[in-house]
Amino acid sequence: MADEELVKKMVRAVLQSSKSGVSLSHLQVEYKDLTGELIPYKQLGYATLDALLHSMPSVVKLDKGQSGEVVCHATTGNEMTHITKLAARQRTAKRTGRPQVVNCQMRVKPAAPLALNGETLITAAFMSLIFLAPSILNENTTPSKPRLPHSAPYSPKLVQSRLKEVLNKHSNGLWVSKLPQLYRDLYKQDLPSEALKDLEHWTHICTVSLKMPDYHSATRWQPEVEKPCSTKPQELLLYPAKETSQITPHSAATPPTHDKSPFHHKKPQTQRSSATSKSSTPASPRDLPPEVKQKLGELLLKYSSGLWAHALPKLYQDTYKCKLPEFVLDHLNLLSDICTIDYPMPDNPKRAILYAKVLEDENRNQSGLAGSETKEAVERSLSSQTVPPLLIPREEYPSVLVVEAGDTNSVILRYIGDGYSKAQEKLEDEMREFYGQDSNKVALTSPLTGQLTAVCAEEEEEILRAQVCEVMADKVKVHYVDHGFSEVISKSKLFELHEKFYRLPFQATKCKLAGLESFSQEQAVLKRFESMATGKILLAEILVRQEVPLVVLYDTSQDDDININAACMKALQDKSLESPLKVNSAYMNVNVTSVCSDGTIYCQVPSRGLTKLNEILEKTENYLHSQVTSELLVSRPFCGKICLARYKGKWSRVEITNLHGSRVVDIMFVDVGVQASVEVTELREIPPPTLRDLISTPAQALKCCLADLPVSVGSWTPDAVQWLRDTALHCSDCSLKIAKVDEPKRLAHVYLFTSKNFHDKSCSLNQQLADSNLWSHQKDVFLSSRGPSKSLNSAPPGSPPEQLIGQNLDVFVSVACHPGHFVLQPWHDMYKLVDLMGEMILHYNKMEEKPLKVEKSQVCAAKLENNWYRVLVKGVLTNGLVSVFQLDYGKHELVSCTQLRPLTQEFCQLPFQAITAQLAGLKPRQWSEEASIVFRNHVEKKPLVGQLESVQEASQPWDRKVVIYLVDTSQEERDIWLHDIMAEFTDEMSNAA
């Protein structure tokens, strides 16, 4: 049951924020903005919101506005005095104490508080807070924000001339967010807000590029592009107009990708190189040979999401069978005419990302397809009436209804949601009503091929839009343009289509299934697709936005998501080549290829399929060795894709299982059961000569578990896993006997032997493990003291400058419990954390699994949801789980002890990013649940401006705490000080006491 008194308090807060009142229809929106929830009138026992409000005469007064709409006003009275103060504090900043400006340069980018180069001293110094020396605390004063002087009337010509002067001093680019402050410093006036909106139109003065980080969670970034000067968080880069031809949207940000992993984002701060920049790289001692430049251009065209510069030498060698000149990496400016160069890590110029310029222009043209009329749309026009083209939904994973597929390169589907299926339903309701009147029914007596018409469906109730395909004597064949199917009907069912029904785009459209291009008309594929997808609503991952988009379809109706594309590909497999699974069957010369941390093992047993696979892989190896071409580079990875990667020096089949951004993927070597993470540049397409043979050969890794031994999280100790690996992986002549088979999982329960004596179970590795003491677990141990870390590795210490106290800092709140406890991350170096986590994925997913002896207060690396994090061990449980604290994100998690690894010194250079904090300006107290909810809704997962008041020292960095003011600068007209809002709750608590 909802708390009615709490609801009254929140409604009061909403109504007091508007002197003119809040319309009844908009009250729910305002309430949700404040509390994060809708008004729970039904839970309080009221049938309608209006009934609830009438029961609160001491809170709300209902009147009718001039337009006749019901308007809610706050009831005046002595009992409302305290909430009036709260509303005032939400609308205006506090103006007491010393005067100062709260980061006014952030006005145009409320969610992206970044700084540039030399201006980052204060923010960079904030990083060292994690390793502070004892500090002298400043006097506890309440910060404030003075009113800014009014600027002169807006003169576009004056602003343009001044903007030219500013850009001449920043020829390599300038964050638009810093422009207001620079303008104020140079000309002693505020930059007119109208000028910021006009920037994109002043193409003769400047070029604007966008990048916008959108926080999906504290650890996941999802890029999105919006129009300049929108109300959403965004980041824009400004360049002089003379470099327009060299700066493109892709040079301003890492392109969007499909995974929501920690390093799937657009880096907060980058440096750019251009053809005219002389300071980006040293002068070259020689020119780059034309043939080398041409080959590099071909490579770059294969990677639309960019290519790491450090990967060039190996990629060039593998592709063209010759070495890349050594001086290229030291002189990347030689490539400025064929690519744009991005430096996400300014302190390491060799960690650059290269983007092909030609491809960027092509991508821009492709993205414009959605807004222009396609040839097909033009052909569908009739006389002067033209139906607008159907735009591809902006979301990355739209829902679709699959209609039919006679070819996987031309699957007919309909998009589900607002503007699509709902708009179609509305149109058909209007058509039914319109044609329900006899006066509107104008028969189409002489239909023409290609003509649009309204068709009365068989049920005589529905009126559908259709296009005439073929005209016969007394019948016509029509195609229902919104439903995607055709039929032959009587001419008497045709009516003229009124012009108002031309406005909605045809809803039936087409897509192409990724990975099935070479098998688009195979009957086995089409039959599998029909059984799994036709007539169902699925999720579509859009890989390429073009006239016929390239997609991967997923069925999310089951416990586990089903990749439809991958399932259709498996329909081509020859079942006779599968690894045999027969109970009581015994096999010798077994090769154990992988041992997982839960005791699952993968084996290769002698079979016809394995023999054929080895023959095909040998042909593939010879083909790749003889080819000098870039055509086999994997340029568009996606989950479920089958391709090739190196395993023990030879090309082997892999399936992509996960994507980390656009350049790193998780893979499974399907024939040996080994998982790994690699860069996309290490993958190759399967050559055409062996493609069909490799696709038709089932995976040859037989998944097994040891019979009579448990297979569950925590049941296998690290010692037991290591013993099995040492024993089985290094045995050249194992044998096994199948005890039972779990067919749905394709899992065989086996007895494993390191000899050929598979008749005696007592000699099996199963029995040896069961009789050993390797199964004993430690007792539960928890970190109850703040003792020193057991790890010798630690991030570098530092001490901040004294001027840091009282300064403004750009921060991101990753976790918020209440004003007395939340976790900050310094914004400025966040991109370094993202890069570090990417390197950790590559490092730990490639290294051999060696169980770690876990102890409390140990600093190590932990795998959580396919990503690796730096963690502190807080407790070790008997069931094999470990309680850890994420040192960079401030979260507590439970993880299997098998997912922990030693934290190498390479990953200890960056200080831990999570900083524990409490809100300044308030006395410590027990916070109520409603106060905590309001605080979380205001700060959690949001970038804010912080002003440091003091630091509470501790022996370990994760135990230190800062006391800090938080300011929300996302509103155009005001700054919101969080301690002002929360002070209202402290007043109520004091009055209640």
Side-chain angles (χ1 to χ4, degrees):
M1 181 66 69
D3 186 342
E4 187 167 356
E5 288 303 315
L6 176 59
V7 173
K8 287 182 179 180
K9 293 177 184 177
M10 296 298 105
V11 172
R12 281 195 191 105
V14 170
L15 298 180
Q16 282 293 323
S17 66
S18 177
K19 294 181 180 179
S20 59
V22 179
S23 66
L24 182 61
S25 61
H26 198 64
L27 181 60
Q28 285 280 35
V29 177
E30 294 282 346
Y31 188 94
K32 187 174 182 180
D33 285 345
L34 178 64
T35 66
E37 301 174 350
L38 296 174
I39 300 175
Y41 59 88
K42 289 187 178 179
Q43 297 180 35
L44 294 173
Y46 296 90
T48 64
L49 175 60
D50 187 69
L52 171 64
L53 297 178
H54 275 98
S55 72
M56 299 179 174
S58 63
V59 176
V60 59
K61 181 175 67 174
L62 303 177
D63 293 325
K64 282 197 174 182
Q66 295 180 351
S67 62
E69 186 177 16
V70 177
V71 179
C72 306
H73 297 274
T75 302
T76 58
N78 295 333
E79 71 277 8
M80 301 299 296
T81 303
H82 69 291
I83 205 67
T84 304
K85 292 169 59 181
L86 172 61
R89 285 167 179 163
Q90 286 180 314
R91 295 299 179 188
T92 59
K94 197 168 183 179
R95 290 181 170 84
T96 60
R98 64 184 184 277
Q100 76 178 52
V101 177
V102 181
N103 219 11
C104 291
Q105 66 269 25
M106 294 177 60
R107 265 300 168 250
V108 296
K109 59 170 194 97
L114 303 179
L116 278 177
N117 303 332
E119 301 171 334
T120 62
L121 174 61
I122 293 175
T123 310
F126 190 35
M127 284 300 305
S128 57
L129 275 174
I130 310 161
F131 299 91
L132 290 168
S135 303
I136 300 176
L137 305 184
N138 282 14
E139 179 184 359
N140 186 359
T141 58
T142 302
S144 61
K145 178 173 76 74
R147 295 178 180 176
L148 295 176
H150 291 290
S151 301
Y154 177 40
S155 171
K157 290 186 178 180
L158 175 62
V159 174
Q160 288 177 10
S161 64
R162 289 176 172 177
L163 183 57
K164 281 185 178 180
E165 296 176 3
V166 173
L167 292 177
N168 286 337
K169 298 178 181 180
H170 299 82
S171 59
N172 287 334
L174 168 70
W175 293 111
V176 172
S177 58
K178 297 302 174 184
L179 183 58
Q181 184 63 41
L182 287 175
Y183 191 94
R184 184 184 297 110
D185 293 342
L186 289 172
Y187 306 110
K188 310 306 178 188
Q189 288 183 356
D190 282 345
L191 178 67
S193 58
E194 295 92 337
L196 293 172
K197 299 176 182 178
D198 292 340
L199 287 177
E200 61 176 316
H201 305 296
W202 295 349
T203 55
H204 62 295
I205 302 293
C206 58
T207 298
V208 181
S209 295
L210 270 72
K211 56 184 303 195
M212 171 182 173
D214 173 21
Y215 288 91
H216 183 66
S217 69
T219 64
R220 298 181 181 182
W221 303 58
Q222 179 179 3
E224 182 180 351
V225 175
E226 295 287 349
K227 291 183 179 179
C229 302
S230 72
T231 58
K232 294 187 177 182
Q234 61 183 332
E235 184 57 38
L236 302 95
L237 282 165
L238 203 61
Y239 299 93
K242 63 182 180 181
E243 294 186 12
T244 299
S245 62
Q246 295 169 4
I247 303 298
T248 68
H250 285 304
S251 69
T254 303
T257 56
H258 307 293
D259 181 56
K260 309 296 185 297
S261 68
F263 66 120
H264 173 200
H265 79 298
K266 298 174 181 174
K267 307 287 174 58
Q269 181 174 348
T270 59
Q271 293 181 348
R272 297 289 187 277
S273 72
S274 65
T276 59
S277 175
K278 297 181 180 179
S279 59
S280 59
T281 55
S284 171
R286 71 197 78 180
D287 292 330
L288 193 63
E291 63 274 11
V292 174
K293 184 176 291 188
Q294 180 182 354
K295 291 176 178 178
L296 289 174
E298 292 176 0
L299 292 181
L300 292 173
L301 286 173
K302 297 294 291 186
Y303 299 101
S304 59
S305 296
L307 176 66
W308 284 106
H310 72 265
L312 271 179
K314 185 177 185 300
L315 185 62
Y316 191 91
Q317 172 79 32
D318 291 345
T319 305
Y320 301 111
K321 309 300 185 290
C322 59
K323 288 187 177 181
L324 179 71
E326 296 181 358
F327 64 86
V328 172
L329 291 188
D330 293 326
H331 303 281
L332 291 177
N333 61 328
L334 295 172
L335 308 178
S336 59
D337 58 334
I338 63 171
C339 68
T340 302
I341 308 168
D342 185 5
Y343 293 96
M345 301 181 66
D347 53 343
N348 188 355
K350 291 189 177 181
R351 295 290 290 181
I353 305 175
L354 311 179
Y355 300 93
K357 282 187 174 179
V358 175
L359 191 59
E360 290 168 2
D361 295 335
E362 292 176 358
N363 284 345
R364 264 206 313 276
N365 292 335
Q366 286 182 357
S367 65
L369 282 175
S372 62
E373 292 189 2
T374 63
K375 180 181 179 181
E376 182 179 352
V378 174
E379 291 177 347
R380 285 174 175 171
S381 65
L382 173 65
S383 183
S384 60
Q385 300 291 342
T386 301
V387 177
L390 182 69
L391 305 183
I392 298 174
R394 292 183 59 184
E395 59 262 39
E396 190 177 357
Y397 295 94
S399 294
V400 299
L401 171 63
V402 178
V403 179
E404 63 179 8
D407 186 324
T408 62
N409 288 336
S410 186
V411 176
I412 299 176
L413 54 79
R414 293 161 47 197
Y415 295 115
I416 305 298
D418 294 336
Y420 296 94
S421 60
K422 290 186 178 179
Q424 177 196 338
E425 292 171 4
K426 180 180 178 182
L427 176 134
E428 291 180 354
D429 288 342
E430 293 174 352
M431 290 181 67
R432 183 169 57 251
E433 181 179 354
F434 179 83
Y435 289 100
Q437 303 177 21
D438 293 337
S439 59
N440 293 329
K441 288 183 177 181
V442 180
L444 189 62
T445 56
S446 301
L448 301 175
T449 301
Q451 189 171 7
L452 293 182
T453 178
V455 175
C456 182
E458 291 296 332
E459 294 81 2
E460 300 293 342
E461 295 180 356
E462 295 295 326
I463 302 293
L464 306 178
R465 296 191 301 178
Q467 187 173 34
V468 177
C469 300
E470 183 181 352
V471 180
M472 292 165 267
D474 58 348
K475 294 182 179 294
V476 291
K477 182 178 181 181
V478 296
H479 177 75
Y480 295 102
V481 293
D482 296 313
H483 296 270
F485 66 93
S486 303
E487 69 173 345
V488 177
I489 61 173
S490 169
K491 286 184 179 181
S492 63
K493 295 182 178 292
L494 302 184
F495 301 99
E496 290 186 4
L497 185 65
H498 192 274
E499 61 180 8
K500 68 179 181 179
F501 301 125
Y502 281 77
R503 298 168 188 168
L504 183 70
F506 299 145
Q507 295 300 296
T509 187
K510 296 179 181 179
C511 74
K512 179 188 296 186
L513 300 187
L516 293 167
E517 294 88 344
S518 299
F519 310 101
S520 63
Q521 297 183 352
E522 293 283 340
Q523 288 304 307
V525 170
L526 296 177
K527 186 176 180 180
R528 177 72 59 88
F529 182 81
E530 182 178 7
S531 65
M532 298 186 69
T534 301
K536 294 183 179 180
I537 295 179
L538 306 175
L539 215 59
E541 178 185 11
I542 302 177
L543 303 181
V544 181
R545 293 175 177 273
Q546 54 193 14
E547 187 172 351
V548 179
L550 186 68
V551 306
V552 179
L553 296 178
Y554 296 92
D555 183 349
T556 59
S557 63
Q558 309 297 320
D559 292 337
D560 295 322
D561 294 347
I562 300 174
N563 186 317
I564 300 296
N565 299 42
C568 290
M569 184 69 78
K570 291 179 180 177
L572 295 168
Q573 293 180 354
D574 184 349
K575 298 297 182 182
S576 67
L577 299 178
E578 283 186 341
S579 299
L581 286 177
K582 296 181 180 179
V583 177
N584 294 326
S585 296
Y587 300 92
M588 296 184 292
N589 301 318
V590 174
N591 180 23
V592 179
T593 56
S594 176
V595 177
C596 302
S597 56
D598 62 353
T600 302
I601 63 175
Y602 287 87
C603 306
Q604 287 183 341
V605 299
S607 65
R608 191 165 65 92
L610 183 59
T611 301
K612 182 178 180 181
L613 173 67
N614 291 333
E615 293 174 354
I616 301 171
L617 288 177
E618 185 176 354
K619 293 179 182 178
T620 303
E621 188 82 28
N622 294 333
Y623 182 90
L624 290 172
H625 184 72
S626 64
Q627 294 299 304
V628 182
T629 177
S630 61
E631 293 181 0
L632 296 178
L633 300 178
V634 174
S635 59
R636 191 171 291 113
F638 56 88
C639 287
K641 180 179 178 64
I642 302 297
C643 50
L644 302 172
R646 290 279 187 183
Y647 179 72
K648 295 185 177 180
K650 293 187 176 182
W651 292 106
S652 301
R653 289 192 301 180
V654 299
E655 178 180 356
I656 297 177
T657 58
N658 193 30
L659 284 80
H660 300 279
S662 59
R663 287 175 290 276
V664 178
V665 295
D666 291 341
I667 58 174
M668 165 70 85
F669 288 92
V670 296
D671 298 306
V672 292
V674 173
Q675 299 181 26
S677 293
V678 299
E679 294 190 45
V680 174
T681 56
E682 299 178 49
L683 302 177
R684 296 293 181 273
E685 298 283 2
I686 300 175
T690 59
L691 175 61
R692 180 172 291 274
D693 287 338
L694 275 181
I695 293 299
S696 64
T697 304
Q700 294 301 303
L702 179 62
K703 187 177 181 180
C704 309
C705 65
L706 299 187
D708 303 332
L709 292 178
V711 180
S712 60
V713 175
S715 60
W716 283 70
T717 64
D719 290 338
V721 173
Q722 191 59 46
W723 181 88
L724 182 57
R725 285 176 178 156
D726 292 341
T727 306
L729 292 178
H730 300 130
C731 178
S732 58
D733 189 19
C734 289
S735 57
L736 62 80
K737 185 175 183 179
I738 299 178
K740 68 175 182 177
V741 176
D742 187 342
E743 283 291 351
K745 297 181 179 179
R746 289 286 297 173
L747 177 67
H749 295 251
V750 304
Y751 292 98
L752 185 64
F753 304 84
T754 54
S755 65
K756 297 181 181 180
N757 187 18
F758 50 81
H759 299 289
D760 187 357
K761 293 182 181 179
S762 63
C763 298
S764 66
L765 298 187
N766 309 47
Q767 192 63 44
Q768 295 179 44
L769 269 172
D771 295 340
S772 71
N773 60 356
L774 298 174
W775 295 95
S776 59
H777 287 272
Q778 303 175 9
K779 295 182 179 179
D780 289 354
V781 180
F782 288 95
L783 180 59
S784 57
S785 63
R786 296 182 177 181
S789 169
K790 298 296 183 183
S791 173
L792 298 178
N793 298 318
S794 62
S799 57
E802 293 182 0
Q803 69 265 27
L804 189 60
I805 303 294
Q807 295 294 337
N808 297 334
L809 312 161
D810 296 335
V811 299
F812 179 75
V813 179
S814 59
V815 176
C817 297
H818 50 74
H821 182 84
F822 53 95
V823 178
L824 301 174
Q825 291 174 302
W827 184 288
H828 174 259
D829 279 349
M830 195 173 287
Y831 75 100
K832 292 185 178 180
L833 173 61
V834 170
D835 285 336
L836 177 136
M837 292 184 64
E839 297 295 337
M840 289 176 69
I841 289 172
L842 289 173
H843 173 81
Y844 289 111
N845 285 3
K846 282 184 177 179
M847 70 179 296
E848 182 182 352
E849 280 192 42
K850 290 186 178 180
L852 175 68
K853 185 177 181 181
V854 183
E855 300 180 22
K856 66 176 183 179
S857 71
Q858 186 176 15
V859 175
C860 54
K863 187 176 185 181
L864 296 163
E865 296 183 353
N866 296 320
N867 296 296
W868 288 90
Y869 298 86
R870 301 187 297 181
V871 301
L872 171 71
V873 176
K874 303 287 286 187
V876 183
L877 310 181
T878 56
N879 61 0
L881 296 178
V882 179
S883 172
V884 299
F885 174 75
Q886 292 186 22
L887 292 166
D888 294 306
Y889 293 93
K891 291 184 176 181
H892 292 267
E893 302 281 1
L894 280 176
V895 61
S896 170
C897 60
T898 61
Q899 301 299 307
L900 299 179
R901 301 289 182 273
L903 188 64
T904 64
Q905 193 63 38
E906 175 188 0
F907 303 127
C908 296
Q909 303 306 309
L910 182 69
F912 301 131
Q913 300 290 289
I915 303 172
T916 304
Q918 73 178 57
L919 190 61
L922 301 170
K923 294 181 180 179
R925 57 179 44 81
Q926 280 291 118
W927 291 95
S928 65
E929 182 179 356
E930 55 265 33
S932 300
I933 291 173
V934 170
F935 179 72
R936 282 197 296 272
N937 289 337
H938 273 287
V939 305
E940 194 167 55
K941 307 293 189 297
K942 293 183 179 179
L944 302 168
V945 176
Q947 187 177 91
L948 185 65
E949 183 189 68
S950 63
V951 179
Q952 298 175 6
E953 188 56 57
S955 59
Q956 295 294 342
W958 48 82
D959 290 326
R960 291 169 181 148
K961 193 172 188 178
V962 301
V963 181
I964 192 170
Y965 291 96
L966 293 179
V967 190
D968 184 351
T969 63
S970 63
Q971 302 299 316
E972 185 71 25
E973 68 279 1
R974 71 188 189 278
D975 289 335
I976 299 176
W977 294 77
L978 272 303
H979 73 283
D980 284 349
I981 293 177
M982 302 314 299
E984 176 60 30
F985 290 93
T986 66
D987 294 341
E988 290 184 1
M989 294 168 67
S990 299
N991 294 336

